[in-house]
Amino acid sequence: LAGTVPEEERCTVERADASLTYSLFLQRFAFSRPVILRGVTDNSAFRTLCTREKLLAAFGARPVRLSTANTYSYRKVDVPFQEYVEQLLKPQDPARLGSDTLYFFGDNNFTEWGPLFQQYVPPPFGIPGTSPAYSFGIAGSGSGVPFHWHGPGYSEVIFGRKRWFLYPPDKTPHFHPNETTLAWLHRTYPALPPAEQPLECTLRPGEVLYFPDRWWHATLNLDTSVFISTFLG
């Protein structure tokens, strides 16, 4: 059924808590492997600003830029935020191609969304020589971004659950660039031998995933989700 998304039974991404020091983060994770952090920040105040009612009141009439959910050739579409929430924020159709799936993530107008972002508490660990940039998104159950890579960054779930699949830079995953993550999960994932399976885990509110530079990753929202990423470029 559209929007019915399984949650994996295991998590193969290492976890760390507030006892993790910056020096240990640099030594063990920053340049080598992903990690899920919990308890390193408190974004409960930011979460209260991200309910459906609060976001519609603040941004409903303003345009947002949607991107298609395919790997290499994003098409952009501008719609009022209220129209996106009320008409397009639906479960992913498993039969729909990525090029036909519109997704709100990343293309934020920082003049308009700035007051909201100022309330967000980012993860405390930076990467030397980089500066942070935020990417805020809201998406329906079963939606997500297929495999791609870029610089290092963090992703935090504010509402909902988001499943992640990750491969190191030297291990390119097998996927079709115009296939949604949901379709990949149903068609390709079940046949993967153990040696070709990704690192994976499901993020819940309050958890932050760090991924290093050039790591392949795909995302899948298990619920209607609100999330924010901190890209280190």
Side-chain angles (χ1 to χ4, degrees):
L1 296 177
T4 302
V5 185
E7 181 175 338
E8 85 289 348
E9 299 177 356
R10 63 199 176 93
C11 177
T12 53
V13 178
E14 189 170 345
R15 294 179 181 272
D17 58 24
S19 65
L20 181 69
T21 63
Y22 182 43
S23 60
L24 199 57
F25 168 77
L26 290 176
Q27 176 186 335
R28 295 183 59 187
F29 303 111
F31 307 103
S32 58
R33 53 185 166 151
V35 61
I36 294 174
L37 307 173
R38 186 166 185 87
V40 297
T41 56
D42 178 6
N43 273 301
S44 54
F46 181 74
R47 189 171 296 114
T48 65
L49 300 175
C50 292
T51 63
R52 177 187 176 101
E53 295 75 17
K54 291 275 184 68
L55 289 176
L56 283 175
F59 304 103
R62 297 181 179 179
V64 292
R65 177 155 292 181
L66 312 180
S67 301
T68 49
N70 49 342
T71 297
Y72 298 121
S73 57
Y74 296 138
R75 178 170 59 93
K76 308 292 185 179
V77 177
D78 292 340
V79 301
F81 180 65
Q82 184 166 350
E83 179 181 331
Y84 175 70
V85 171
E86 295 180 350
Q87 299 181 29
L88 300 176
L89 192 59
K90 297 177 180 178
Q92 173 73 47
D93 181 349
R96 187 177 291 271
L97 294 175
S99 58
D100 297 324
T101 300
L102 293 173
Y103 191 56
F104 175 46
F105 75 104
D107 279 300
N108 307 120
N109 183 316
F110 284 87
T111 300
E112 296 179 352
W113 292 83
L116 177 65
F117 296 162
Q118 288 172 9
Q119 304 304 312
Y120 177 66
V121 181
F125 306 136
I127 303 295
T130 68
S131 58
Y134 294 137
S135 170
F136 182 74
I138 304 170
S141 170
S143 64
V145 180
F147 281 106
H148 64 289
W149 59 264
H150 43 68
Y154 293 95
S155 183
E156 179 169 355
V157 174
I158 306 302
F159 287 108
R161 296 168 299 155
K162 181 186 284 283
R163 187 171 172 182
W164 282 73
F165 307 92
L166 304 109
Y167 287 95
D170 60 352
K171 195 172 183 179
T172 302
H174 176 69
F175 69 99
H176 189 286
N178 201 24
E179 183 178 54
T180 65
T181 305
L182 184 61
W184 175 88
L185 180 67
H186 288 315
R187 296 170 185 167
T188 303
Y189 178 89
L192 292 176
E196 295 181 20
Q197 292 177 358
L199 289 177
E200 60 181 293
C201 205
T202 294
L203 282 188
R204 293 171 176 80
E207 295 182 322
V208 183
L209 172 72
Y210 169 76
F211 51 88
D213 186 30
R214 295 177 182 269
W215 270 65
W216 288 94
H217 54 280
T219 62
L220 184 69
N221 298 294
L222 302 187
D223 314 296
T224 298
S225 300
V226 179
F227 45 90
I228 186 168
S229 296
T230 306
F231 294 124
L232 304 173

